[in-house]
Amino acid sequence: MPEGTLYIGTRRYSSWSMRGWLPVRIAGLDVEEVVIPLAGGNTPGVKAVSPTGLVPLLEHRGNRVWETIAICEYCAELAPELWPADFAARAHARAIAAEMHAGFRELRQAMPMNLGPMRRGPDRREPPLDQVARIDAIWRETRARFGAGGPYLFGATFNAADAMYAPVVTRFLRYAPPISREARDYCDAVRAHPLVAQWHDDAAREPAEWVLDSYEAIS
Ligand SMILES: N[C@@H](CCC(=O)N[C@@H](CS)C(=O)NCC(=O)O)C(=O)O
């Protein structure tokens, strides 16, 4: 019998669900996954289960955890490899993960996550290039300082900071804003990670009825 439930939204669109799901799976939590098809905001099924009206929501061993950054921390208590072992690297990982959790609103709105076919909808907006450049710099600087020995931000281990930026990778690969060669290589490495690949595969199997015209219009 599973030890709880992870509630997520439509995989095709729900970037925050992806950010919560990755650490839960890396930590190997034995939780049932419940996917709630998003309705484009104020989804009744999400409101019925989540205190914030948002997903992801993790229920595990009687604990309820919402907000992706808190889910990362919860999972890291059980799987410490979700943060780097080195003190300075760990501080940096938390800082860049928190920056993602708190920011880049304009980038997220202009380049919404959509794992379906590209449509180039009429409402497509210009990406905020200053925010694209900031993320590019975060990735390059982090990899230069801490990334030796592997393709991820902190080297060989895909950790919570990578999980927080994984939906940005899907956006950069889809919308192709101008990014550095190093950032592009990082995107390719994240896309090839088995769990990221699994998320994409599962998204591709979602029912056609879950596709939202309003979300497709800006993709
Ligand atoms: N700050 C929240 C953001 C969560 C969020 O915005 N989730 C969206 C889906 S990506 C949601 O639940 N929207 C409700 C809806 O579409 O009904 C977190 O880190 O978990």
Side-chain angles (χ1 to χ4, degrees):
M1 171 134 169
E3 295 185 300
T5 306
L6 175 66
Y7 295 94
I8 57 176
T10 312
R11 289 185 183 84
R12 178 184 181 109
Y13 304 124
S14 186
S15 55
W16 294 108
S17 295
M18 186 185 194
R19 292 186 177 97
W21 180 87
L22 285 166
V24 165
R25 287 297 162 229
I26 290 168
L29 269 53
D30 179 18
V31 289
E32 177 196 8
E33 259 169 58
V34 172
V35 185
I36 303 174
L38 295 181
N42 295 312
T43 306
V46 174
K47 285 180 149 181
V49 297
S50 166
T52 55
L54 300 171
V55 280
L57 171 72
L58 173 64
E59 293 176 352
H60 181 246
R61 298 180 187 163
N63 304 304
R64 292 184 98 201
V65 191
W66 54 94
E67 293 294 331
T68 49
I69 197 81
I71 293 172
C72 282
E73 292 290 2
Y74 183 89
C75 293
E77 301 248 10
L78 302 167
E81 70 272 18
L82 275 162
W83 294 122
D86 173 72
F87 180 81
R90 198 161 61 249
H92 187 76
R94 285 197 164 106
I96 63 172
E99 184 175 347
M100 180 67 245
H101 186 250
F104 302 113
R105 185 184 170 83
E106 293 76 16
L107 182 145
R108 290 188 282 107
Q109 288 177 342
M111 299 195 291
M113 186 169 101
N114 185 334
L115 304 183
M118 189 68 153
R119 287 167 207 252
R120 294 193 171 267
D123 296 340
R124 202 160 173 216
R125 300 164 211 158
E126 286 304 310
L129 295 181
D130 57 336
Q131 296 189 358
V132 172
R134 171 65 190 147
I135 290 175
D136 193 312
I138 289 170
W139 291 353
R140 275 186 290 108
E141 288 163 17
T142 303
R143 285 204 25 79
R145 268 182 80 190
F146 302 109
Y152 304 118
L153 291 172
F154 293 85
T157 303
F158 183 100
N159 70 14
D162 297 295
M164 289 301 286
Y165 283 94
V168 175
V169 164
T170 73
R171 291 164 154 113
F172 283 6
L173 291 175
R174 182 183 188 86
Y175 300 99
I179 57 173
S180 65
R181 174 64 199 264
E182 295 98 309
R184 174 73 206 204
D185 289 347
Y186 173 67
C187 287
D188 291 342
V190 169
R191 179 63 182 84
H193 187 278
L195 286 173
V196 173
Q198 186 188 330
W199 180 273
H200 280 75
D201 292 347
D202 291 346
R205 280 193 288 271
E206 286 176 336
E209 308 87 77
W210 293 7
V211 172
L212 295 173
D213 288 345
S214 57
Y215 285 179
E216 298 298 321
I218 47 175
S219 70

